[in-house]
Amino acid sequence: MATKRRSAREQHRQAVASYVAAGGEETVQRAITALYAVTKRLDQWYTRQLADLDLTQGEWAVLAALARAGETCLTPSQLADLSNVAPSSMTHRLDKMAGRGLLERRPDESNRTRTLVSLTADGWALFSEAVRESNVVESDTLRGLTDDERHELARLLEIVIAGLDDIDA
């Protein structure tokens, strides 16, 4: 007989109880375990979404970095740094994405030895489509919260994020 899958709530309770029993502080474990569970579940969904869009995680990292840069073009080295990959891997990734019409490369007029990379209209359209689809799932994830609670959650998480710079991990 197949075992019944535990609910996310039950998995969370059990994990917290285990960490507390091992000496973890309950409120810390409740918060961090919840953050991990949400992140894990969303990552699973994002992986499926990217596959449906015929994108790898690495290609998404390039699209997102270029979109965040806005009108500023980035070099392949900058993209490699932002994506945490070797420059040689970035070259192959950019070749593939340029072949799909998602980005364009051109020489830097101020330094002809450098190449500048930017999104094409198709690249922006794919980025926008992915964001819109993600927003549906992300909104569903937060559906149990009022607008005020969403603002408060965001405010609290932004405090946590700001504190990450102070941790020597």
Side-chain angles (χ1 to χ4, degrees), residues 49-161:
Q49 179 201 26
L50 292 177
D52 289 346
L53 294 171
D54 194 25
L55 284 172
T56 65
Q57 291 278 357
E59 291 167 339
W60 172 252
V62 170
L63 277 180
L66 289 170
R68 285 189 306 268
E71 297 296 317
T72 303
C73 295
L74 299 175
T75 66
S77 294
Q78 289 171 317
L79 288 167
D81 287 344
L82 292 168
S83 302
N84 297 316
V85 298
S88 59
S89 297
M90 183 55 63
T91 300
H92 175 70
R93 187 173 295 163
L94 295 178
D95 287 344
K96 186 176 171 189
M97 293 177 74
R100 290 180 57 194
L102 300 175
L103 56 84
E104 65 180 8
R105 293 181 282 192
R106 64 178 186 284
D108 183 345
E109 292 182 18
S110 65
N111 178 351
R112 300 296 238 168
T113 63
R114 281 192 336 181
T115 300
L116 298 176
V117 183
S118 60
L119 288 179
T120 61
D122 286 348
W124 274 106
L126 185 57
F127 176 78
S128 296
E129 178 184 357
V131 169
R132 284 190 309 274
E133 287 181 14
S134 295
N135 193 64
V136 171
V137 171
E138 293 159 352
S139 294
D140 284 350
T141 300
L142 299 176
R143 75 180 170 269
L145 302 176
T146 66
D147 282 343
D148 286 344
E149 289 169 332
R150 288 180 188 190
H151 285 290
E152 181 65 5
L153 176 61
R155 185 187 72 75
L156 293 170
L157 290 172
E158 287 161 356
I159 292 170
V160 172
I161 289 168

